[in-house]
Amino acid sequence: MTRILVVEDDPDVATALRTLLTRAGYEVLPSEDGRAGLRRLFADDPDLMVLDVGLPGLDGWQVLERTRDMTDLPVLLLTARGAESDRVRGLRAGADDYLPKPFGNDELLARIEALLRRAAPARWAGSAQDDALRLVPERRSAIWRGEEARLSDIEYRLLQVLVRNRGRVVTTDQLLDQVWDDPQGIGRDRVKFAVLRVRRKLQQAAGSLESDPIEAVRGLGYRYRADGDGGP
């Protein structure tokens, strides 16, 4: 049974989430604060985390940061409605998706199902490479100019789609469809911040701020250009 770690301190919201997810066929691992959530993450190896930002003590940002230091577990972030800064911060920090409160039950379940589909390893088992970069699917990493950059599942899939379309522009909507399973283009900022994270990791691996093969094409999307590729 798929296990979902729910880190939520509001007892009413936590009860509602547990009831909804249990009825949908998931096993729910409840935690009412950040430290308890991290302990359950280590002990129970869940398949997905639903994480509230406004936790007492160790808040959601700290939990997300520590989670990303150790695992690529899909994380759905719950934020206050209208708090765009929270959503941007979450995407920058590596959350896979976000949902403002209050939210509808159907939307929550749909987003969880999409995250779990994207986390399935079989769909992304193939590799992609060129002379400068090699993707390693079993490690979810990229070897860029001889140095390894560890990626989250989302980041790995994003880079894989771009490499497989080498030299061609992949639009933001195409990336949302192929990487996030979001053909309607909800939450387009996810693409921008995921690309920024991938570029930063490749730059850090190569030890150069100018060393990354991803080009932003204004108004359209992104293009993978390996060493020696021509201009637009």
Side-chain angles (χ1 to χ4, degrees):
M1 179 182 293
T2 300
R3 294 183 291 180
I4 297 179
L5 173 59
V6 176
V7 189
E8 169 61 67
D9 67 308
D10 185 313
D12 293 333
V13 176
T15 298
L17 287 171
R18 185 168 190 169
T19 301
L20 174 66
L21 296 174
T22 300
R23 288 176 177 173
Y26 299 111
E27 178 183 351
V28 178
L29 310 174
S31 295
E32 57 190 33
D33 62 60
R35 296 188 186 281
L38 288 174
R39 287 195 295 269
R40 295 216 72 162
L41 174 64
F42 289 124
D44 297 318
D45 191 24
D47 299 288
L48 181 142
M49 178 191 295
V50 176
L51 175 62
D52 183 35
V53 168
L55 297 171
L58 198 68
D59 65 22
W61 306 120
Q62 294 169 299
V63 173
L64 177 59
E65 181 181 5
R66 297 186 186 187
T67 299
R68 280 293 167 258
D69 285 341
M70 299 169 292
T71 178
D72 292 329
L73 177 78
V75 176
L76 174 62
L77 201 65
L78 302 181
T79 69
R81 177 166 295 281
E84 181 180 359
S85 60
D86 281 355
R87 298 195 291 273
V88 169
R89 183 178 177 183
L91 292 170
R92 285 186 183 275
D96 297 284
D97 201 356
Y98 61 82
L99 191 60
K101 295 180 179 179
F103 47 80
N105 292 345
D106 290 343
E107 183 177 9
L108 174 70
L109 291 176
R111 289 180 180 268
I112 286 175
E113 290 165 5
L115 286 175
L116 291 171
R117 284 197 303 271
R118 297 199 298 267
R123 182 180 173 189
W124 299 94
S127 63
Q129 63 184 51
D130 60 27
D131 292 340
L133 179 140
R134 178 169 60 91
L135 296 181
V136 186
E138 62 271 18
R139 290 176 58 83
R140 288 296 186 269
S141 67
I143 308 299
W144 171 241
R145 295 186 173 176
E147 301 296 333
E148 184 176 32
R150 296 301 299 271
L151 307 172
S152 71
D153 282 345
I154 286 290
E155 294 160 359
Y156 179 89
R157 291 194 292 271
L158 173 64
L159 185 54
Q160 186 180 56
V161 170
L162 292 173
V163 172
R164 287 181 170 175
N165 289 277
R166 169 179 169 167
R168 298 192 296 270
V169 175
V170 184
T171 69
T172 298
D173 287 340
Q174 288 172 331
L175 289 169
L176 281 166
D177 187 12
Q178 296 180 48
V179 179
W180 279 265
D181 194 21
D182 184 7
Q184 296 184 3
I186 300 172
R188 294 165 62 90
D189 280 347
R190 286 180 291 186
V191 176
K192 177 175 69 175
F193 291 119
V195 169
L196 288 174
R197 293 196 303 270
V198 171
R199 297 186 69 176
R200 183 171 64 246
K201 289 183 178 182
L202 295 179
Q203 290 166 350
Q204 290 172 345
S208 170
L209 293 179
E210 298 179 355
S211 177
D212 83 76
I214 301 175
E215 175 190 19
V217 181
R218 181 172 296 182
L220 292 176
Y222 300 89
R223 172 169 47 203
Y224 175 86
R225 292 174 58 197
D227 291 349
D229 282 355

